[in-house]
Amino acid sequence: MELETMIDLLVCPRCHGGLQLQGQPPQQLLCDACRLAYPVREGIALLLIEEAQPLTAEAR
């Protein structure tokens, strides 16, 4: 199943808020509440808090 079709089912592992898919490959999942960006590698979302990067102003 493609990530785009599953986005409504995925939540941030830290705050359980909704995520937004951003970009063409490489993609990332953004949590506005936590201001974190979770990487997507080879179509697989890495929803681990330790893999997340702080969300920068230009990433929004």
Side-chain angles (χ1 to χ4, degrees):
M1 187 179 295
E2 299 248 351
L3 188 58
E4 292 84 4
T5 59
M6 294 179 17
I7 192 68
D8 291 333
L9 303 174
L10 299 175
V11 296
C12 173
R14 185 172 178 195
C15 73
H16 305 287
L19 297 170
Q20 298 174 351
L21 183 62
Q22 181 192 46
Q24 299 300 323
Q27 294 176 312
Q28 55 187 358
L29 292 169
L30 307 179
C31 176
D32 282 332
C34 291
R35 310 256 326 128
L36 292 174
Y38 295 93
V40 177
R41 295 189 189 128
E42 297 181 18
I44 300 170
L46 299 176
L47 296 176
L48 301 170
I49 295 171
E50 55 271 5
E51 290 286 332
Q53 296 295 316
L55 189 58
T56 61
E58 57 271 1
R60 298 189 80 217

